[in-house]
mmCIF file with all atom_site columns, all heavy atoms in Angstrom:
data_model
loop_
_atom_site.group_PDB
_atom_site.id
_atom_site.type_symbol
_atom_site.label_atom_id
_atom_site.label_alt_id
_atom_site.label_comp_id
_atom_site.label_asym_id
_atom_site.label_entity_id
_atom_site.label_seq_id
_atom_site.pdbx_PDB_ins_code
_atom_site.Cartn_x
_atom_site.Cartn_y
_atom_site.Cartn_z
_atom_site.occupancy
_atom_site.B_iso_or_equiv
_atom_site.pdbx_formal_charge
_atom_site.auth_seq_id
_atom_site.auth_comp_id
_atom_site.auth_asym_id
_atom_site.auth_atom_id
_atom_site.pdbx_PDB_model_num
ATOM 1   N N   . ASP A 1 31  ? 103.891 142.448 196.270 1.00 96.00 ? 31  ASP A N   1
ATOM 2   C CA  . ASP A 1 31  ? 104.773 142.156 197.396 1.00 96.00 ? 31  ASP A CA  1
ATOM 3   C C   . ASP A 1 31  ? 105.205 140.692 197.391 1.00 96.00 ? 31  ASP A C   1
ATOM 4   O O   . ASP A 1 31  ? 106.369 140.371 197.600 1.00 96.00 ? 31  ASP A O   1
ATOM 5   C CB  . ASP A 1 31  ? 104.072 142.482 198.720 1.00 96.00 ? 31  ASP A CB  1
ATOM 6   C CG  . ASP A 1 31  ? 104.047 143.976 199.002 1.00 96.00 ? 31  ASP A CG  1
ATOM 7   O OD1 . ASP A 1 31  ? 105.080 144.633 198.769 1.00 96.00 ? 31  ASP A OD1 1
ATOM 8   O OD2 . ASP A 1 31  ? 103.001 144.484 199.442 1.00 96.00 ? 31  ASP A OD2 1
ATOM 9   N N   . ARG A 1 35  ? 108.983 139.210 197.138 1.00 96.00 ? 35  ARG A N   1
ATOM 10  C CA  . ARG A 1 35  ? 109.558 138.449 198.246 1.00 96.00 ? 35  ARG A CA  1
ATOM 11  C C   . ARG A 1 35  ? 109.918 137.017 197.848 1.00 96.00 ? 35  ARG A C   1
ATOM 12  O O   . ARG A 1 35  ? 110.824 136.410 198.416 1.00 96.00 ? 35  ARG A O   1
ATOM 13  C CB  . ARG A 1 35  ? 108.579 138.442 199.432 1.00 96.00 ? 35  ARG A CB  1
ATOM 14  C CG  . ARG A 1 35  ? 108.374 139.853 199.970 1.00 96.00 ? 35  ARG A CG  1
ATOM 15  C CD  . ARG A 1 35  ? 107.317 139.939 201.037 1.00 96.00 ? 35  ARG A CD  1
ATOM 16  N NE  . ARG A 1 35  ? 106.966 141.339 201.291 1.00 96.00 ? 35  ARG A NE  1
ATOM 17  C CZ  . ARG A 1 35  ? 106.099 141.742 202.213 1.00 96.00 ? 35  ARG A CZ  1
ATOM 18  N NH1 . ARG A 1 35  ? 105.500 140.868 202.971 1.00 96.00 ? 35  ARG A NH1 1
ATOM 19  N NH2 . ARG A 1 35  ? 105.834 143.029 202.365 1.00 96.00 ? 35  ARG A NH2 1
ATOM 20  N N   . ALA A 1 149 ? 116.898 125.377 216.717 1.00 95.00 ? 149 ALA A N   1
ATOM 21  C CA  . ALA A 1 149 ? 117.476 124.113 216.225 1.00 95.00 ? 149 ALA A CA  1
ATOM 22  C C   . ALA A 1 149 ? 118.823 123.806 216.862 1.00 95.00 ? 149 ALA A C   1
ATOM 23  O O   . ALA A 1 149 ? 119.279 122.666 216.835 1.00 95.00 ? 149 ALA A O   1
ATOM 24  C CB  . ALA A 1 149 ? 117.610 124.149 214.701 1.00 95.00 ? 149 ALA A CB  1
ATOM 25  N N   . ASP A 1 151 ? 119.447 124.427 220.093 1.00 96.00 ? 151 ASP A N   1
ATOM 26  C CA  . ASP A 1 151 ? 119.209 124.474 221.533 1.00 96.00 ? 151 ASP A CA  1
ATOM 27  C C   . ASP A 1 151 ? 118.508 123.186 221.961 1.00 96.00 ? 151 ASP A C   1
ATOM 28  O O   . ASP A 1 151 ? 118.144 122.354 221.132 1.00 96.00 ? 151 ASP A O   1
ATOM 29  C CB  . ASP A 1 151 ? 118.328 125.694 221.850 1.00 96.00 ? 151 ASP A CB  1
ATOM 30  C CG  . ASP A 1 151 ? 118.542 126.225 223.253 1.00 96.00 ? 151 ASP A CG  1
ATOM 31  O OD1 . ASP A 1 151 ? 118.951 125.457 224.131 1.00 96.00 ? 151 ASP A OD1 1
ATOM 32  O OD2 . ASP A 1 151 ? 118.288 127.428 223.457 1.00 96.00 ? 151 ASP A OD2 1
ATOM 33  N N   . ALA A 1 294 ? 119.675 126.810 226.598 1.00 96.00 ? 294 ALA A N   1
ATOM 34  C CA  . ALA A 1 294 ? 120.502 127.997 226.354 1.00 96.00 ? 294 ALA A CA  1
ATOM 35  C C   . ALA A 1 294 ? 119.682 129.277 226.281 1.00 96.00 ? 294 ALA A C   1
ATOM 36  O O   . ALA A 1 294 ? 120.053 130.298 226.856 1.00 96.00 ? 294 ALA A O   1
ATOM 37  C CB  . ALA A 1 294 ? 121.334 127.816 225.075 1.00 96.00 ? 294 ALA A CB  1
ATOM 38  N N   . ALA A 1 295 ? 118.570 129.242 225.592 1.00 96.00 ? 295 ALA A N   1
ATOM 39  C CA  . ALA A 1 295 ? 117.789 130.475 225.413 1.00 96.00 ? 295 ALA A CA  1
ATOM 40  C C   . ALA A 1 295 ? 117.085 130.884 226.695 1.00 96.00 ? 295 ALA A C   1
ATOM 41  O O   . ALA A 1 295 ? 116.817 132.066 226.909 1.00 96.00 ? 295 ALA A O   1
ATOM 42  C CB  . ALA A 1 295 ? 116.763 130.300 224.298 1.00 96.00 ? 295 ALA A CB  1
ATOM 43  N N   . MET A 1 299 ? 108.574 133.619 225.216 1.00 97.00 ? 299 MET A N   1
ATOM 44  C CA  . MET A 1 299 ? 107.126 133.531 225.061 1.00 97.00 ? 299 MET A CA  1
ATOM 45  C C   . MET A 1 299 ? 106.707 134.114 223.718 1.00 97.00 ? 299 MET A C   1
ATOM 46  O O   . MET A 1 299 ? 107.261 135.110 223.264 1.00 97.00 ? 299 MET A O   1
ATOM 47  C CB  . MET A 1 299 ? 106.368 134.224 226.180 1.00 97.00 ? 299 MET A CB  1
ATOM 48  C CG  . MET A 1 299 ? 104.877 133.853 226.150 1.00 97.00 ? 299 MET A CG  1
ATOM 49  S SD  . MET A 1 299 ? 103.903 134.472 227.553 1.00 97.00 ? 299 MET A SD  1
ATOM 50  C CE  . MET A 1 299 ? 103.632 136.148 227.033 1.00 97.00 ? 299 MET A CE  1
ATOM 51  N N   . TYR A 1 301 ? 103.207 135.275 221.599 1.00 96.00 ? 301 TYR A N   1
ATOM 52  C CA  . TYR A 1 301 ? 101.853 135.708 221.924 1.00 96.00 ? 301 TYR A CA  1
ATOM 53  C C   . TYR A 1 301 ? 101.157 136.270 220.698 1.00 96.00 ? 301 TYR A C   1
ATOM 54  O O   . TYR A 1 301 ? 101.797 136.957 219.889 1.00 96.00 ? 301 TYR A O   1
ATOM 55  C CB  . TYR A 1 301 ? 101.982 136.782 223.008 1.00 96.00 ? 301 TYR A CB  1
ATOM 56  C CG  . TYR A 1 301 ? 100.748 137.597 223.294 1.00 96.00 ? 301 TYR A CG  1
ATOM 57  C CD1 . TYR A 1 301 ? 99.888  137.245 224.334 1.00 96.00 ? 301 TYR A CD1 1
ATOM 58  C CD2 . TYR A 1 301 ? 100.459 138.735 222.551 1.00 96.00 ? 301 TYR A CD2 1
ATOM 59  C CE1 . TYR A 1 301 ? 98.755  138.004 224.609 1.00 96.00 ? 301 TYR A CE1 1
ATOM 60  C CE2 . TYR A 1 301 ? 99.329  139.503 222.819 1.00 96.00 ? 301 TYR A CE2 1
ATOM 61  C CZ  . TYR A 1 301 ? 98.491  139.129 223.851 1.00 96.00 ? 301 TYR A CZ  1
ATOM 62  O OH  . TYR A 1 301 ? 97.389  139.870 224.120 1.00 96.00 ? 301 TYR A OH  1
ATOM 63  N N   . PRO A 1 303 ? 97.074  136.321 218.176 1.00 93.00 ? 303 PRO A N   1
ATOM 64  C CA  . PRO A 1 303 ? 95.757  135.739 217.925 1.00 93.00 ? 303 PRO A CA  1
ATOM 65  C C   . PRO A 1 303 ? 95.914  134.295 217.467 1.00 93.00 ? 303 PRO A C   1
ATOM 66  O O   . PRO A 1 303 ? 96.684  134.009 216.555 1.00 93.00 ? 303 PRO A O   1
ATOM 67  C CB  . PRO A 1 303 ? 95.174  136.616 216.820 1.00 93.00 ? 303 PRO A CB  1
ATOM 68  C CG  . PRO A 1 303 ? 96.333  137.276 216.162 1.00 93.00 ? 303 PRO A CG  1
ATOM 69  C CD  . PRO A 1 303 ? 97.454  137.325 217.157 1.00 93.00 ? 303 PRO A CD  1
ATOM 70  N N   . PRO A 1 309 ? 94.437  136.067 210.661 1.00 95.00 ? 309 PRO A N   1
ATOM 71  C CA  . PRO A 1 309 ? 95.660  135.580 211.290 1.00 95.00 ? 309 PRO A CA  1
ATOM 72  C C   . PRO A 1 309 ? 96.114  134.230 210.736 1.00 95.00 ? 309 PRO A C   1
ATOM 73  O O   . PRO A 1 309 ? 97.303  134.017 210.484 1.00 95.00 ? 309 PRO A O   1
ATOM 74  C CB  . PRO A 1 309 ? 95.277  135.482 212.770 1.00 95.00 ? 309 PRO A CB  1
ATOM 75  C CG  . PRO A 1 309 ? 94.199  136.501 212.949 1.00 95.00 ? 309 PRO A CG  1
ATOM 76  C CD  . PRO A 1 309 ? 93.416  136.444 211.662 1.00 95.00 ? 309 PRO A CD  1
ATOM 77  N N   . SER A 1 312 ? 97.654  134.693 207.421 1.00 97.00 ? 312 SER A N   1
ATOM 78  C CA  . SER A 1 312 ? 99.014  135.236 207.520 1.00 97.00 ? 312 SER A CA  1
ATOM 79  C C   . SER A 1 312 ? 100.028 134.109 207.661 1.00 97.00 ? 312 SER A C   1
ATOM 80  O O   . SER A 1 312 ? 101.078 134.101 207.004 1.00 97.00 ? 312 SER A O   1
ATOM 81  C CB  . SER A 1 312 ? 99.115  136.185 208.721 1.00 97.00 ? 312 SER A CB  1
ATOM 82  O OG  . SER A 1 312 ? 100.453 136.569 208.957 1.00 97.00 ? 312 SER A OG  1
ATOM 83  N N   . TYR A 1 337 ? 114.603 112.013 215.177 1.00 96.00 ? 337 TYR A N   1
ATOM 84  C CA  . TYR A 1 337 ? 115.759 111.152 215.427 1.00 96.00 ? 337 TYR A CA  1
ATOM 85  C C   . TYR A 1 337 ? 115.912 110.780 216.910 1.00 96.00 ? 337 TYR A C   1
ATOM 86  O O   . TYR A 1 337 ? 116.463 109.752 217.254 1.00 96.00 ? 337 TYR A O   1
ATOM 87  C CB  . TYR A 1 337 ? 117.043 111.823 214.924 1.00 96.00 ? 337 TYR A CB  1
ATOM 88  C CG  . TYR A 1 337 ? 117.467 112.994 215.776 1.00 96.00 ? 337 TYR A CG  1
ATOM 89  C CD1 . TYR A 1 337 ? 118.324 112.820 216.862 1.00 96.00 ? 337 TYR A CD1 1
ATOM 90  C CD2 . TYR A 1 337 ? 116.993 114.287 215.523 1.00 96.00 ? 337 TYR A CD2 1
ATOM 91  C CE1 . TYR A 1 337 ? 118.690 113.890 217.665 1.00 96.00 ? 337 TYR A CE1 1
ATOM 92  C CE2 . TYR A 1 337 ? 117.346 115.353 216.306 1.00 96.00 ? 337 TYR A CE2 1
ATOM 93  C CZ  . TYR A 1 337 ? 118.191 115.148 217.384 1.00 96.00 ? 337 TYR A CZ  1
ATOM 94  O OH  . TYR A 1 337 ? 118.534 116.210 218.176 1.00 96.00 ? 337 TYR A OH  1
ATOM 95  N N   . ASP B 1 31  ? 123.277 115.967 218.570 1.00 96.00 ? 31  ASP B N   1
ATOM 96  C CA  . ASP B 1 31  ? 122.017 116.614 218.184 1.00 96.00 ? 31  ASP B CA  1
ATOM 97  C C   . ASP B 1 31  ? 122.219 117.495 216.950 1.00 96.00 ? 31  ASP B C   1
ATOM 98  O O   . ASP B 1 31  ? 121.400 117.481 216.028 1.00 96.00 ? 31  ASP B O   1
ATOM 99  C CB  . ASP B 1 31  ? 121.475 117.466 219.334 1.00 96.00 ? 31  ASP B CB  1
ATOM 100 C CG  . ASP B 1 31  ? 120.831 116.619 220.425 1.00 96.00 ? 31  ASP B CG  1
ATOM 101 O OD1 . ASP B 1 31  ? 120.109 115.672 220.061 1.00 96.00 ? 31  ASP B OD1 1
ATOM 102 O OD2 . ASP B 1 31  ? 121.046 116.897 221.603 1.00 96.00 ? 31  ASP B OD2 1
ATOM 103 N N   . ARG B 1 35  ? 120.362 117.144 213.346 1.00 96.00 ? 35  ARG B N   1
ATOM 104 C CA  . ARG B 1 35  ? 119.476 118.201 212.864 1.00 96.00 ? 35  ARG B CA  1
ATOM 105 C C   . ARG B 1 35  ? 119.973 118.818 211.561 1.00 96.00 ? 35  ARG B C   1
ATOM 106 O O   . ARG B 1 35  ? 119.183 119.327 210.759 1.00 96.00 ? 35  ARG B O   1
ATOM 107 C CB  . ARG B 1 35  ? 119.328 119.270 213.950 1.00 96.00 ? 35  ARG B CB  1
ATOM 108 C CG  . ARG B 1 35  ? 118.634 118.701 215.185 1.00 96.00 ? 35  ARG B CG  1
ATOM 109 C CD  . ARG B 1 35  ? 118.594 119.671 216.340 1.00 96.00 ? 35  ARG B CD  1
ATOM 110 N NE  . ARG B 1 35  ? 118.196 118.980 217.567 1.00 96.00 ? 35  ARG B NE  1
ATOM 111 C CZ  . ARG B 1 35  ? 118.036 119.585 218.732 1.00 96.00 ? 35  ARG B CZ  1
ATOM 112 N NH1 . ARG B 1 35  ? 118.216 120.897 218.845 1.00 96.00 ? 35  ARG B NH1 1
ATOM 113 N NH2 . ARG B 1 35  ? 117.681 118.894 219.799 1.00 96.00 ? 35  ARG B NH2 1
ATOM 114 N N   . SER B 1 147 ? 108.256 134.077 208.685 1.00 95.00 ? 147 SER B N   1
ATOM 115 C CA  . SER B 1 147 ? 106.869 133.770 209.075 1.00 95.00 ? 147 SER B CA  1
ATOM 116 C C   . SER B 1 147 ? 105.894 134.828 208.575 1.00 95.00 ? 147 SER B C   1
ATOM 117 O O   . SER B 1 147 ? 104.777 134.528 208.179 1.00 95.00 ? 147 SER B O   1
ATOM 118 C CB  . SER B 1 147 ? 106.759 133.668 210.600 1.00 95.00 ? 147 SER B CB  1
ATOM 119 O OG  . SER B 1 147 ? 107.686 132.741 211.106 1.00 95.00 ? 147 SER B OG  1
ATOM 120 N N   . ALA B 1 149 ? 106.330 136.779 205.974 1.00 95.00 ? 149 ALA B N   1
ATOM 121 C CA  . ALA B 1 149 ? 106.687 137.149 204.608 1.00 95.00 ? 149 ALA B CA  1
ATOM 122 C C   . ALA B 1 149 ? 105.468 137.340 203.715 1.00 95.00 ? 149 ALA B C   1
ATOM 123 O O   . ALA B 1 149 ? 105.549 137.977 202.667 1.00 95.00 ? 149 ALA B O   1
ATOM 124 C CB  . ALA B 1 149 ? 107.621 136.102 203.993 1.00 95.00 ? 149 ALA B CB  1
ATOM 125 N N   . ASP B 1 151 ? 102.680 138.798 204.850 1.00 96.00 ? 151 ASP B N   1
ATOM 126 C CA  . ASP B 1 151 ? 101.842 139.776 205.549 1.00 96.00 ? 151 ASP B CA  1
ATOM 127 C C   . ASP B 1 151 ? 102.435 141.174 205.352 1.00 96.00 ? 151 ASP B C   1
ATOM 128 O O   . ASP B 1 151 ? 103.520 141.329 204.791 1.00 96.00 ? 151 ASP B O   1
ATOM 129 C CB  . ASP B 1 151 ? 101.807 139.411 207.042 1.00 96.00 ? 151 ASP B CB  1
ATOM 130 C CG  . ASP B 1 151 ? 100.533 139.869 207.739 1.00 96.00 ? 151 ASP B CG  1
ATOM 131 O OD1 . ASP B 1 151 ? 99.935  140.869 207.296 1.00 96.00 ? 151 ASP B OD1 1
ATOM 132 O OD2 . ASP B 1 151 ? 100.165 139.244 208.730 1.00 96.00 ? 151 ASP B OD2 1
ATOM 133 N N   . ALA B 1 294 ? 97.336  141.257 208.497 1.00 96.00 ? 294 ALA B N   1
ATOM 134 C CA  . ALA B 1 294 ? 96.569  140.011 208.619 1.00 96.00 ? 294 ALA B CA  1
ATOM 135 C C   . ALA B 1 294 ? 96.744  139.348 209.974 1.00 96.00 ? 294 ALA B C   1
ATOM 136 O O   . ALA B 1 294 ? 95.778  138.902 210.592 1.00 96.00 ? 294 ALA B O   1
ATOM 137 C CB  . ALA B 1 294 ? 96.960  139.039 207.502 1.00 96.00 ? 294 ALA B CB  1
ATOM 138 N N   . ALA B 1 295 ? 97.965  139.280 210.477 1.00 96.00 ? 295 ALA B N   1
ATOM 139 C CA  . ALA B 1 295 ? 98.199  138.563 211.737 1.00 96.00 ? 295 ALA B CA  1
ATOM 140 C C   . ALA B 1 295 ? 97.654  139.318 212.928 1.00 96.00 ? 295 ALA B C   1
ATOM 141 O O   . ALA B 1 295 ? 97.305  138.718 213.938 1.00 96.00 ? 295 ALA B O   1
ATOM 142 C CB  . ALA B 1 295 ? 99.691  138.300 211.927 1.00 96.00 ? 295 ALA B CB  1
ATOM 143 N N   . MET B 1 299 ? 103.389 139.220 219.956 1.00 97.00 ? 299 MET B N   1
ATOM 144 C CA  . MET B 1 299 ? 104.481 139.631 220.827 1.00 97.00 ? 299 MET B CA  1
ATOM 145 C C   . MET B 1 299 ? 105.467 138.498 221.008 1.00 97.00 ? 299 MET B C   1
ATOM 146 O O   . MET B 1 299 ? 105.090 137.337 221.112 1.00 97.00 ? 299 MET B O   1
ATOM 147 C CB  . MET B 1 299 ? 103.998 140.109 222.191 1.00 97.00 ? 299 MET B CB  1
ATOM 148 C CG  . MET B 1 299 ? 105.117 140.828 222.945 1.00 97.00 ? 299 MET B CG  1
ATOM 149 S SD  . MET B 1 299 ? 104.594 141.638 224.479 1.00 97.00 ? 299 MET B SD  1
ATOM 150 C CE  . MET B 1 299 ? 104.579 140.245 225.577 1.00 97.00 ? 299 MET B CE  1
ATOM 151 N N   . TYR B 1 301 ? 108.852 137.458 223.392 1.00 96.00 ? 301 TYR B N   1
ATOM 152 C CA  . TYR B 1 301 ? 109.381 137.812 224.702 1.00 96.00 ? 301 TYR B CA  1
ATOM 153 C C   . TYR B 1 301 ? 110.492 136.853 225.108 1.00 96.00 ? 301 TYR B C   1
ATOM 154 O O   . TYR B 1 301 ? 110.399 135.654 224.852 1.00 96.00 ? 301 TYR B O   1
ATOM 155 C CB  . TYR B 1 301 ? 108.224 137.738 225.700 1.00 96.00 ? 301 TYR B CB  1
ATOM 156 C CG  . TYR B 1 301 ? 108.569 137.749 227.155 1.00 96.00 ? 301 TYR B CG  1
ATOM 157 C CD1 . TYR B 1 301 ? 108.550 138.936 227.873 1.00 96.00 ? 301 TYR B CD1 1
ATOM 158 C CD2 . TYR B 1 301 ? 108.900 136.572 227.822 1.00 96.00 ? 301 TYR B CD2 1
ATOM 159 C CE1 . TYR B 1 301 ? 108.853 138.957 229.233 1.00 96.00 ? 301 TYR B CE1 1
ATOM 160 C CE2 . TYR B 1 301 ? 109.204 136.588 229.179 1.00 96.00 ? 301 TYR B CE2 1
ATOM 161 C CZ  . TYR B 1 301 ? 109.183 137.780 229.873 1.00 96.00 ? 301 TYR B CZ  1
ATOM 162 O OH  . TYR B 1 301 ? 109.486 137.794 231.201 1.00 96.00 ? 301 TYR B OH  1
ATOM 163 N N   . PRO B 1 303 ? 114.880 136.516 227.032 1.00 93.00 ? 303 PRO B N   1
ATOM 164 C CA  . PRO B 1 303 ? 116.104 137.179 227.461 1.00 93.00 ? 303 PRO B CA  1
ATOM 165 C C   . PRO B 1 303 ? 116.776 137.843 226.259 1.00 93.00 ? 303 PRO B C   1
ATOM 166 O O   . PRO B 1 303 ? 116.983 137.207 225.236 1.00 93.00 ? 303 PRO B O   1
ATOM 167 C CB  . PRO B 1 303 ? 116.961 136.050 228.022 1.00 93.00 ? 303 PRO B CB  1
ATOM 168 C CG  . PRO B 1 303 ? 116.415 134.807 227.429 1.00 93.00 ? 303 PRO B CG  1
ATOM 169 C CD  . PRO B 1 303 ? 114.998 135.056 227.053 1.00 93.00 ? 303 PRO B CD  1
ATOM 170 N N   . PRO B 1 309 ? 121.804 132.709 225.977 1.00 95.00 ? 309 PRO B N   1
ATOM 171 C CA  . PRO B 1 309 ? 120.721 133.055 225.049 1.00 95.00 ? 309 PRO B CA  1
ATOM 172 C C   . PRO B 1 309 ? 121.240 133.496 223.675 1.00 95.00 ? 309 PRO B C   1
ATOM 173 O O   . PRO B 1 309 ? 120.687 133.085 222.640 1.00 95.00 ? 309 PRO B O   1
ATOM 174 C CB  . PRO B 1 309 ? 119.998 134.208 225.769 1.00 95.00 ? 309 PRO B CB  1
ATOM 175 C CG  . PRO B 1 309 ? 120.261 133.971 227.218 1.00 95.00 ? 309 PRO B CG  1
ATOM 176 C CD  . PRO B 1 309 ? 121.666 133.435 227.253 1.00 95.00 ? 309 PRO B CD  1
ATOM 177 N N   . SER B 1 312 ? 122.323 130.540 221.769 1.00 97.00 ? 312 SER B N   1
ATOM 178 C CA  . SER B 1 312 ? 121.178 129.790 221.226 1.00 97.00 ? 312 SER B CA  1
ATOM 179 C C   . SER B 1 312 ? 120.775 130.335 219.866 1.00 97.00 ? 312 SER B C   1
ATOM 180 O O   . SER B 1 312 ? 120.542 129.579 218.913 1.00 97.00 ? 312 SER B O   1
ATOM 181 C CB  . SER B 1 312 ? 119.987 129.868 222.198 1.00 97.00 ? 312 SER B CB  1
ATOM 182 O OG  . SER B 1 312 ? 118.825 129.319 221.611 1.00 97.00 ? 312 SER B OG  1
ATOM 183 N N   . TYR B 1 337 ? 113.218 145.791 198.381 1.00 96.00 ? 337 TYR B N   1
ATOM 184 C CA  . TYR B 1 337 ? 112.567 146.192 197.138 1.00 96.00 ? 337 TYR B CA  1
ATOM 185 C C   . TYR B 1 337 ? 111.574 147.330 197.319 1.00 96.00 ? 337 TYR B C   1
ATOM 186 O O   . TYR B 1 337 ? 111.322 148.091 196.407 1.00 96.00 ? 337 TYR B O   1
ATOM 187 C CB  . TYR B 1 337 ? 111.833 144.985 196.526 1.00 96.00 ? 337 TYR B CB  1
ATOM 188 C CG  . TYR B 1 337 ? 110.599 144.581 197.300 1.00 96.00 ? 337 TYR B CG  1
ATOM 189 C CD1 . TYR B 1 337 ? 109.357 145.138 196.994 1.00 96.00 ? 337 TYR B CD1 1
ATOM 190 C CD2 . TYR B 1 337 ? 110.672 143.676 198.340 1.00 96.00 ? 337 TYR B CD2 1
ATOM 191 C CE1 . TYR B 1 337 ? 108.224 144.789 197.720 1.00 96.00 ? 337 TYR B CE1 1
ATOM 192 C CE2 . TYR B 1 337 ? 109.556 143.330 199.077 1.00 96.00 ? 337 TYR B CE2 1
ATOM 193 C CZ  . TYR B 1 337 ? 108.336 143.887 198.756 1.00 96.00 ? 337 TYR B CZ  1
ATOM 194 O OH  . TYR B 1 337 ? 107.225 143.557 199.493 1.00 96.00 ? 337 TYR B OH  1
#
Side-chain angles (χ1 to χ4, degrees):
Chain A
D31 283 318
R35 296 174 193 183
D151 207 334
M299 192 173 80
Y301 167 95
S312 171
Y337 72 90
Chain B
D31 284 318
R35 295 174 193 182
S147 306
D151 208 332
M299 193 172 81
Y301 166 96
S312 172
Y337 71 90

